[in-house]
Amino acid sequence: MTEILLLICAYLIGSVPTAVWVSKGIFGMDIREYGSGNAGATNTFRVLGPKAGTFVMVVDMLKGVLAVRLAYLAAYYHDPEHLTQLVNLQIGLGLAAVVGHIFPIWANFKGGKGIATLFGLVLAIQPLVALCCVGVFLMILFLTRYVSLSSIIASIAFPILILYIFNEPEIFYRIFAIAVALMVVLTHQKNITRLLKGVESKVPLFKNRKGKN
């Protein structure tokens, strides 16, 4: 019962529609009516500029971190002997937050793709791996200014880091890493098509702008 309540709380945390609230509260518009139509950091970068995009990305990441931290509210998982179960619960809570981000109850179940929240999940469980993924993301973003391409490559780097660099022994976490990469690639199919056609939008890294529909 405790785990179910924690999963519900994690979903509600993930459901906080950061991009929607920022776009409506500060810019007087609904981010879902512009750009790609997603209520996530990538579309916020593209439509509202780097300042708003960075803020949304950080908050969405924190949603994943906070959701994972909920696991410590369950006394059973405080025992070092239950470390594997703790990690499994943390992943489950993080994924519940990602689902909340994609299908937010506070925004008519129309949210973003969950990449930033997913990163927050990884950051809370394995900070060093997360920082490596951030390095990959920022490098690709600086070189190309494509947030979507940066997200895709960073997600592919994730299982490579887990399986070969850090050699994570926990089988569930290894499966999770592979699933994350596949999920990100699948949810970015339209972006991949636009990248191949050369029509994907780049983000303005050094200036703020408001996009148009």
Side-chain angles (χ1 to χ4, degrees), residues 5 23 36 44 47 50 67 96 125 129 168-169 197 200:
L5 291 176
S23 64
S36 66
T44 304
V47 175
I125 298 177
V129 174
E168 168 61 44
K197 291 181 178 179
E200 177 75 334

Coordinates of all heavy atoms in Angstrom, one line a residue, residues 5 23 36 44 47 50 67 96 125 129 168-169 197 200:
L5 N 0.9 4.4 -2.8 CA 0.7 5.8 -2.5 C 1.8 6.6 -3.0 O 1.7 7.8 -3.5 CB 0.5 6.0 -1.0 CG -0.8 5.4 -0.4 CD1 -0.8 5.5 1.2 CD2 -2.0 6.1 -0.9
S23 N 4.5 29.5 -19.7 CA 4.1 30.2 -21.0 C 2.8 31.0 -20.7 O 2.7 32.1 -21.3 CB 3.8 29.1 -22.1 OG 2.8 28.2 -21.8
S36 N 6.2 22.7 -31.7 CA 5.9 21.2 -31.9 C 4.6 20.9 -31.2 O 4.1 19.8 -31.4 CB 7.0 20.4 -31.4 OG 7.2 20.5 -30.0
T44 N 9.9 24.7 -25.4 CA 10.1 26.0 -24.7 C 11.3 26.7 -25.1 O 11.3 27.9 -25.4 CB 10.1 25.8 -23.1 OG1 8.9 25.1 -22.7 CG2 10.1 27.1 -22.4
V47 N 10.5 28.0 -28.7 CA 9.5 29.0 -28.9 C 9.8 30.2 -28.0 O 9.6 31.4 -28.5 CB 8.1 28.5 -28.5 CG1 7.0 29.5 -28.5 CG2 7.7 27.3 -29.5
P50 N 16.1 30.6 -24.6 CA 16.9 29.8 -23.7 C 16.7 30.1 -22.2 O 16.8 29.1 -21.4 CB 18.4 30.3 -24.1 CG 18.2 31.6 -24.7 CD 16.9 31.5 -25.5
A67 N 10.7 12.8 -7.2 CA 9.9 11.6 -7.2 C 10.8 10.4 -6.7 O 10.3 9.6 -6.0 CB 9.5 11.3 -8.7
A96 N 7.0 6.9 -12.9 CA 5.7 7.4 -12.6 C 5.7 8.9 -12.8 O 4.7 9.5 -13.4 CB 5.2 7.1 -11.2
I125 N 19.6 8.8 -9.0 CA 20.1 7.4 -8.7 C 21.6 7.3 -8.9 O 22.3 6.7 -8.1 CB 19.3 6.4 -9.5 CG1 17.8 6.4 -9.2 CG2 19.9 5.0 -9.3 CD1 17.0 5.5 -10.0
V129 N 26.8 9.2 -13.8 CA 26.3 8.8 -15.1 C 25.5 10.0 -15.7 O 25.6 10.3 -16.9 CB 25.4 7.5 -15.0 CG1 24.8 7.3 -16.4 CG2 26.3 6.4 -14.6
E168 N 27.3 -1.4 -14.7 CA 26.3 -1.5 -13.6 C 25.9 -3.0 -13.5 O 25.4 -3.6 -14.5 CB 25.1 -0.7 -14.0 CG 23.9 -0.9 -13.2 CD 24.1 -0.6 -11.7 OE1 24.7 0.4 -11.4 OE2 23.6 -1.5 -10.9
P169 N 26.0 -3.6 -12.3 CA 25.6 -5.0 -12.1 C 24.1 -5.3 -12.0 O 23.7 -6.4 -12.3 CB 26.3 -5.4 -10.8 CG 26.4 -4.1 -10.0 CD 26.6 -3.0 -11.1
K197 N 15.6 15.7 -43.0 CA 15.1 16.6 -44.1 C 15.8 18.0 -44.0 O 15.7 18.8 -44.9 CB 13.6 16.8 -44.1 CG 12.9 15.5 -44.5 CD 11.3 15.8 -44.5 CE 10.6 14.5 -44.9 NZ 9.1 14.8 -44.9
E200 N 14.5 20.7 -39.1 CA 14.4 20.8 -37.7 C 14.8 22.2 -37.2 O 15.8 22.7 -37.6 CB 15.2 19.7 -37.0 CG 15.1 19.7 -35.5 CD 13.8 19.2 -34.9 OE1 12.8 19.3 -35.6 OE2 13.8 18.8 -33.7

